[in-house]
Amino acid sequence: MKSKKVMKINDLIVETHVGLERQGPGSCEATLRALSFVDGLNKNSRVMDLGCGTGGQAMVIAQNITAGEIIGLDIFPDFIEVFNANAKKLNLQDRVKGLVGSMDDLSFAKEGFDLIWSEGAIDEIGFEKGLNYWNNYLKKDGFVAVTSASWFTDERPAEVEKFWTAAGCRLNTIVRNISIMQNAGYKLVAVFPLSENCWTDNYFVPRTAAEKEIAEKHPSNKTVEDYIKDSKYEVELYSKYNRYYGYVFYIGKKI
Ligand code: SAH
């Protein structure tokens, strides 16, 4: 008799997100707005998208810069498989390539990139650690563009703080993050918050639909039920407290 497969949280995360256009809050408009602050890219430029998921922003970047190579890196092989299929679908496979790897253990030559991009992922390793570590891989005058969950106000609702801390993320204020960015060796180029629809229409709505399908596929499964409950709570928190926190785009230039 086969043993019953235990559903792991990571499997659930992948199953929920692999079919979505983006695996976190964001939008094509916000990606293009952030890209508009980056100059000097040409056909020899090298771009890296860390925590690239299935390529929601890498493909937008690739289609909107003249040329150059884009490497997407993600820890989940299933996302990279879809990333590479998406690149192929858009006929970008010659210059857009997805690799499996961890953004805190890069195996590239130092000072080799003109732009490091990362949406909705840097908080996995920490804003400060990420910016400091990735700085090593940028050429001088290279750009970094990341989104990070940030406090909009000095007031920090305890419920929100508790949720993010449990998820292993520490939210900073925008002012604090700007100072972290400057101390990590970048000149601040631009900062702007993501709009509410980046979270709701572009992320929570498709994610909730995917979760509904997963619940139907795995009936009476406690792990699935708890996962979906947590996810619903995240949506409720955001709807209740979104004036206090959200994702913010930080664009910096390596000094
Ligand atoms: N940038 C994508 C995905 C954001 S979700 C988008 O905006 O749509 C966060 C991503 O970071 C996930 O794809 C997750 O697999 C990836 N990730 C988490 N920890 C990672 C790590 N240590 N190294 C590389 N990728 C990681």
Side-chain angles (χ1 to χ4, degrees):
M1 197 176 87
K2 263 192 188 168
S3 66
K4 200 173 168 197
K5 187 171 176 264
V6 181
M7 205 73 198
K8 297 215 186 75
I9 290 297
N10 277 356
D11 295 339
L12 271 174
I13 294 175
V14 171
E15 197 175 339
T16 314
H17 289 86
V18 73
L20 308 185
E21 225 168 276
R22 285 177 169 262
Q23 287 70 43
S27 71
C28 185
E29 293 74 28
T31 298
L32 289 177
R33 185 172 168 201
L35 192 61
S36 75
F37 295 105
V38 176
D39 51 33
L41 295 177
N42 58 50
K43 66 177 174 34
N44 299 316
S45 297
R46 295 185 74 215
V47 178
M48 176 153 66
D49 180 1
L50 296 174
C52 61
T54 59
Q57 46 280 153
M59 306 304 154
V60 172
I61 296 167
Q63 287 171 311
N64 285 278
I65 59 175
T66 30
E69 178 194 17
I70 302 187
I71 293 172
L73 189 97
D74 203 281
I75 199 115
F76 287 134
D78 291 22
F79 289 171
I80 291 301
E81 202 176 297
V82 177
F83 180 103
N84 284 324
N86 284 340
K88 199 160 180 209
K89 233 183 270 166
L90 297 165
N91 205 23
L92 292 166
Q93 71 277 11
D94 291 340
R95 61 191 193 95
V96 181
K97 292 196 172 69
L99 301 173
V100 177
S102 187
M103 58 185 160
D104 59 358
D105 186 20
L106 301 174
S107 54
F108 302 99
K110 300 263 170 84
E111 304 202 351
F113 289 90
D114 298 272
L115 170 62
I116 293 182
W117 203 272
S118 184
E119 291 191 38
I122 196 169
D123 298 327
E124 305 276 350
I125 60 166
F127 188 77
E128 184 163 17
K129 181 180 167 188
L131 286 186
N132 275 291
Y133 179 56
W134 300 348
N135 190 291
N136 296 305
Y137 294 88
L138 277 178
K139 295 178 189 167
K140 183 175 175 293
D141 293 330
F143 286 85
V144 71
V146 303
T147 61
S148 176
S150 314
W151 292 114
F152 295 151
T153 59
D154 286 329
E155 200 185 335
R156 302 164 179 212
E159 228 186 325
V160 180
E161 189 138 51
K162 196 171 158 208
F163 177 83
W164 283 82
T165 306
C169 299
R170 195 197 130 88
L171 272 63
N172 292 318
T173 59
I174 296 173
V175 172
R176 170 95 185 106
N177 275 345
I178 290 173
S179 138
I180 289 173
M181 180 172 243
Q182 289 166 336
N183 288 333
Y186 305 89
K187 177 174 150 279
L188 176 74
V189 175
V191 174
F192 64 89
L194 294 190
S195 59
E196 201 177 325
N197 74 311
C198 290
W199 289 77
T200 52
D201 299 345
N202 293 1
Y203 181 53
F204 288 152
V205 171
R207 187 179 79 178
T208 304
E211 283 165 358
K212 192 166 171 270
E213 276 181 31
I214 286 169
E216 282 160 11
K217 215 167 118 193
H218 306 280
S220 316
N221 182 315
K222 176 92 168 71
T223 314
V224 175
E225 282 166 9
D226 288 348
Y227 174 78
I228 293 178
K229 204 168 125 204
D230 235 37
S231 180
K232 272 195 181 136
Y233 180 60
E234 186 194 0
V235 175
E236 278 163 30
L237 268 190
Y238 181 74
S239 116
K240 190 167 163 196
Y241 292 113
N242 65 48
R243 64 188 181 284
Y244 296 97
Y245 74 102
Y247 269 105
V248 173
F249 238 120
Y250 298 88
I251 298 107
K253 187 171 184 173
K254 179 169 171 174
I255 298 165

